[in-house]
Amino acid sequence: MKKTILIAALMITVFTSNIFAILYVNRSCEAFNSCSPDANGGIAPSMGQMIIEGAGYFLASHADMQKFSNKIELSEINGVNYPELQEMLNSAIANMESASAVYKNLIQAAQETPYNRAVIHKLLKFDYRGFMKKNNLVADVFIKVKGFLARGDVTGAYIKLKTSKDAIVAQLYIIKTALDSNLFPDVNLLYQVNQAYCETLLFGQYIAQVFNNL
């Protein structure tokens, strides 16, 4: 199952950042009627804009960690270049912290914005089991998505995504502590971080897939 998640996530990262924004949590802002740029009268970014921005930061962080993992993989041949690894990791942390900050604002906007009851009704009636089977989705991840959307809790799904991003940041800082001391990071922690990225990626994608099929 973990191998399936990793392969699926790596396939997704070949797309450009703009495409990724379309795939990650896309259209969930329809649950609040806040997708268009002028949804808030031009006073503040719409939830749709924040979703795109957050996706961009998340993808950038994931790309940083893919490059970091590549250097780690080749270190047995080329040796360990700690300054280079530190630079990549610092970029991964900065981008993920930016993604988390965007989601903080997204959650606040969601909590202050009434739901679109017509869209919520569609979420409540959606055939999640059939959709998962038809699209061959990773059950462990999609069941978590269903847990939020099947009860119309889109805000809760955003909170879950922010929590996941914050957990990844915490893991990255542990790796940073080792690197800053010129110590090779714990391989088991690298496994955990890679899995966390992949699961968070798929969680956001599955939200987008459901909304694109309402």
Side-chain angles (χ1 to χ4, degrees), residues 31-179:
F32 305 89
N33 278 335
S34 184
C35 289
S36 62
D38 60 350
N40 299 315
I43 299 175
S46 69
M47 294 174 67
Q49 290 173 289
M50 287 187 274
I51 287 170
I52 293 172
E53 184 180 359
Y57 283 125
F58 178 83
L59 173 61
S61 179
H62 194 188
D64 289 332
M65 281 307 293
Q66 290 301 311
K67 290 186 288 185
F68 178 90
S69 297
N70 176 263
K71 294 298 181 181
I72 288 289
E73 185 68 26
L74 296 175
S75 62
E76 289 191 50
I77 299 174
N78 301 329
V80 182
N81 185 330
Y82 284 105
E84 184 178 41
L85 290 175
Q86 288 169 333
E87 182 179 356
M88 293 176 181
L89 185 65
N90 288 338
S91 181
I93 291 172
N95 280 313
M96 188 63 79
E97 288 181 332
S98 293
S100 179
V102 171
Y103 264 77
K104 180 180 179 180
N105 293 332
L106 178 63
I107 291 166
Q108 181 177 350
Q111 291 172 335
E112 296 173 352
T113 306
Y115 279 124
N116 180 333
R117 301 315 304 179
V119 173
I120 296 301
H121 179 75
K122 291 180 180 180
L123 288 174
L124 299 179
K125 299 297 182 181
F126 191 77
D127 180 13
Y128 293 93
R129 182 185 296 274
F131 186 75
M132 180 176 69
K133 183 177 180 180
K134 176 183 178 182
N135 292 280
N136 194 31
L137 305 183
V138 178
D140 286 352
V141 179
F142 188 71
I143 288 173
K144 294 176 183 177
V145 172
K146 175 188 174 183
F148 291 101
L149 300 188
R151 64 173 187 266
D153 187 11
V154 181
T155 302
Y158 294 160
I159 293 172
K160 164 65 176 173
L161 282 166
K162 184 182 184 304
T163 299
S164 297
K165 290 173 173 58
D166 291 340
I168 290 174
V169 168
Q171 292 174 316
L172 295 180
Y173 270 110
I174 295 174
I175 297 174
K176 176 177 169 59
T177 297
L179 290 181

